[in-house]
């Protein structure tokens, strides 16, 4: 669908975002598609939750995850240990019903982060991968639950999974979240759009504007 245009869109690409936006998207939407960079990608691509490791400069340098050993993705990445990883963030249709300008065209707003990475399987990190993911996802509830709380089943469960590190070799991101809208259209969309998560991210990506 065509995007609205503004004569004062900054250069370079206003949809690129910055390192903080990339980290925020990964943290809020940690479930990502992981696919090997070979001809098996379509057959074995898998959704997996991943956690970002950040260096002192605030850049994502690796991702920590785990998968079932029986997952065909495991064998594929052992054979070809490089992957494309795609995180999808907030996304929704934006209806012309929200905008007063008669010539405004509907669009779809979204955010995505694409990471190219080299994969290293780490049998020694199975427990750490489970613990870190649980702590991260359970932050809001503060239950204190640990994977070992499942009791005698835990050892078998840990043996059934394999942890991995995805060492980042490239990142491309796109945050198409209203940066090209006029101030009036942006205000109207923010005031009426039914998806509060999308609206929050639109405000984030237009923080310097008077809306």
């Amino acid at each position: 669908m065509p995007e609205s245009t503004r004569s004062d869109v900054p250069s370079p690409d206003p949809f690129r975002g910055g390192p903080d936006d990339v980290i925020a998207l990964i943290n809020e939407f940690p479930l990502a598609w992981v696919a090997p960079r070979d001809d098996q990608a379509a057959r074995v691509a898998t959704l997996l939750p991943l956690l970002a490791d950040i260096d002192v400069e605030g850049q994502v340098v690796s991702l920590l995850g785990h998968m079932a050993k029986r997952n065909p993705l495991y064998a594929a990445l052992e054979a070809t240990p490089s992957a494309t990883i795609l995180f999808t963030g907030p996304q929704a249709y934006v209806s012309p019903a929200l905008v007063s300008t008669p010539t405004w065209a509907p669009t779809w707003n979204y955010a995505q982060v694409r990471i190219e990475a080299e994969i290293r399987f780490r049998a020694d990190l199975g427990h750490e991968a489970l613990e870190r993911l649980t702590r991260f996802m359970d932050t809001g509830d503060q239950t204190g639950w640990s994977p070992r709380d499942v009791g005698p089943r835990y050892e078998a469960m840990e043996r059934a999974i394999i942890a991995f590190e995805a060492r980042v070799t490239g990142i491309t991101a796109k945050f198409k979240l209203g940066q090209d809208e006029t101030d009036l259209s942006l205000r109207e969309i923010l005031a009426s759009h039914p998806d509060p998560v999308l609206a929050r991210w639109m405000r984030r990506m237009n923080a310097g504007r008077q809306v």
Side-chain angles (χ1 to χ4, degrees):
M1 294 177 182
E3 298 173 2
S4 308
T5 57
R6 292 174 57 209
S7 60
D8 59 341
V9 172
S11 182
D13 185 356
F15 303 119
R16 182 178 298 173
D20 289 349
D21 302 313
V22 168
I23 294 167
L25 186 145
I26 293 172
N27 286 344
E28 187 169 346
F29 304 92
L31 191 67
W33 282 105
V34 181
R37 291 207 296 268
D38 61 19
D39 58 6
Q40 299 188 72
R43 182 175 64 83
V44 302
T46 301
L47 281 167
L48 297 172
L50 300 172
L51 299 177
D53 289 317
I54 315 301
D55 67 11
V56 294
E57 297 178 349
Q59 303 283 343
V60 179
V61 292
S62 67
L63 301 163
L64 176 65
H66 70 278
M67 70 181 78
K69 291 178 180 177
R70 68 175 181 271
N71 189 329
L73 179 63
Y74 176 34
L77 288 175
E78 276 200 310
T80 306
S82 59
T84 296
I85 299 169
L86 181 62
F87 293 89
T88 56
Q91 59 82 25
Y93 175 69
V94 184
S95 169
L98 306 181
V99 179
S100 61
T101 304
T103 56
W104 188 89
T107 190
W108 206 290
N109 281 0
Y110 64 90
Q112 66 176 36
V113 172
R114 177 187 175 121
I115 292 178
E116 305 298 333
E118 298 301 319
I119 304 298
R120 181 185 177 196
F121 286 105
R122 297 288 304 273
D124 59 317
L125 290 183
H127 181 68
E128 179 179 340
L130 294 172
E131 284 281 359
R132 278 188 57 188
L133 181 63
T134 300
R135 287 198 306 270
F136 181 80
M137 298 307 301
D138 207 30
T139 299
D141 294 323
Q142 298 281 317
T143 66
W145 188 89
S146 169
R148 292 191 187 277
D149 289 345
V150 300
R153 294 185 298 142
Y154 177 77
E155 298 300 331
M157 290 172 60
E158 187 180 1
R159 287 194 300 271
I161 62 104
I162 183 72
F164 65 92
E165 293 176 331
R167 302 293 180 88
V168 174
T169 59
I171 297 178
T172 55
K174 185 167 184 178
F175 298 84
K176 183 194 168 301
L177 294 166
Q179 298 95 316
D180 56 341
E181 302 291 354
T182 65
D183 288 348
L184 173 60
S185 294
L186 182 60
R187 281 196 299 271
E188 291 174 333
I189 294 166
L190 290 173
S192 303
H193 199 280
D195 187 335
V197 176
L198 183 76
R200 172 164 52 81
W201 273 85
M202 288 180 66
R203 290 188 178 92
R204 176 190 179 101
M205 300 308 298
N206 292 278
R209 297 172 60 184
Q210 297 300 313
V211 295

